[in-house]
Amino acid sequence: MHTAILTFDGYNELDSLIALGILNRVSAPGWRVSIAGPTPRLRSMNGVVIDAMIDLEEACDADAVIVGSGKKTREVVENPAIMATLARLDPTRQLLAAQCSGALVLAKLGHLRDVPACTDLVTKPWVVAAGVDVLDQPFFARGNLATAGGCLASTYLATWTIARLHSLEAAKDAMHYVAPVGEKDEYVDRALRNVTPYLEPVGALQK
């Protein structure tokens, strides 16, 4: 199973890299997690430069795609070349998730027409203007679509993705690994409270 994390210039490190770290806690044959970008090198909102592992074309073929956020998301959705490529994303054959301003990308692609979304407070007016009902909660999913609001809600996207592509036990183990010592059960329980109501079905990619 391959998960691609879409990452653009101006990306938020917490959104792309926390999800990357948690998803890579899974050890299973064929399990793969990639940072995907429109250019070979990407600079974060705080100047952290990373190399993209795959391009957007390959990302569109992944089993799960997480759209990361950043300060240039409105530029991303106004870029015809990028949006034409991302038009290949299809929730009938893959999981699609968005972190914070990534919800604006899914909205502009038409995937949130009848699905409420979570996003950060700065992005909320743009997502509302795109015709999407924004929820006052950190995570929401319906079918193969999920959104999260707030940088640290990236833990919930990772938990949901692992549960859907692998198993709930693997998701719990991954969260337990990264959670602070002395607070591991608390962190795992919080993730499960937010994610399990939206698992349909657990451990399988809904087609």
Side-chain angles (χ1 to χ4, degrees):
M1 288 291 183
H2 181 203
T3 299
I5 302 173
L6 304 191
T7 304
F8 305 95
D9 270 330
Y11 72 91
N12 186 318
E13 304 94 338
L14 295 176
D15 295 343
S16 289
L17 301 183
I18 288 178
L20 177 77
I22 297 174
L23 287 163
N24 271 315
R25 296 271 65 84
V26 176
S27 179
W31 188 266
R32 178 185 170 206
V33 187
S34 304
I35 293 290
T39 56
R41 184 153 290 182
L42 307 157
R43 181 179 296 273
S44 80
M45 60 193 300
N46 294 307
V48 178
V49 178
I50 61 173
D51 291 333
M53 301 159 72
I54 60 173
D55 61 21
L56 297 183
E57 287 283 355
E58 185 175 352
C60 289
D61 294 323
D63 300 288
V65 177
I66 297 175
V67 185
S69 74
K71 67 178 184 180
K72 296 184 178 181
T73 304
R74 284 187 293 178
E75 295 177 28
V76 170
V77 298
E78 293 173 358
N79 185 307
I82 290 176
M83 296 302 283
T85 299
L86 298 184
R88 293 181 50 218
L89 296 175
D90 183 355
T92 67
R93 63 174 177 83
Q94 60 194 161
L95 302 182
L96 296 183
Q99 175 69 40
C100 292
S101 65
L104 183 62
V105 177
L106 292 188
K108 292 294 187 177
L109 289 170
H111 296 308
L112 300 179
R113 288 193 185 96
D114 302 310
V115 181
C118 301
T119 189
D120 64 279
L121 299 180
V122 173
T123 306
K124 179 178 177 179
W126 313 333
V127 177
V128 170
V132 178
D133 181 22
V134 174
L135 303 172
D136 184 24
Q137 62 190 59
F139 178 84
F140 179 82
R142 179 179 294 167
N144 289 343
L145 291 163
T147 51
C151 300
L152 297 183
S154 54
T155 59
Y156 303 149
L157 282 186
T159 300
W160 178 79
T161 302
I162 295 170
R164 289 295 309 277
L165 292 185
H166 192 287
S167 67
L168 187 57
E169 279 304 310
K172 290 165 63 176
D173 289 346
M175 273 302 301
H176 190 271
Y177 185 98
V178 302
V181 172
E183 300 179 337
K184 290 185 178 293
D185 290 343
E186 177 184 346
Y187 270 68
V188 172
D189 289 346
R190 183 183 297 113
L192 296 181
R193 284 199 308 271
N194 281 283
V195 171
T196 52
Y198 305 108
L199 292 178
E200 44 175 341
V202 172
L205 177 55
Q206 183 173 309
K207 297 288 189 178

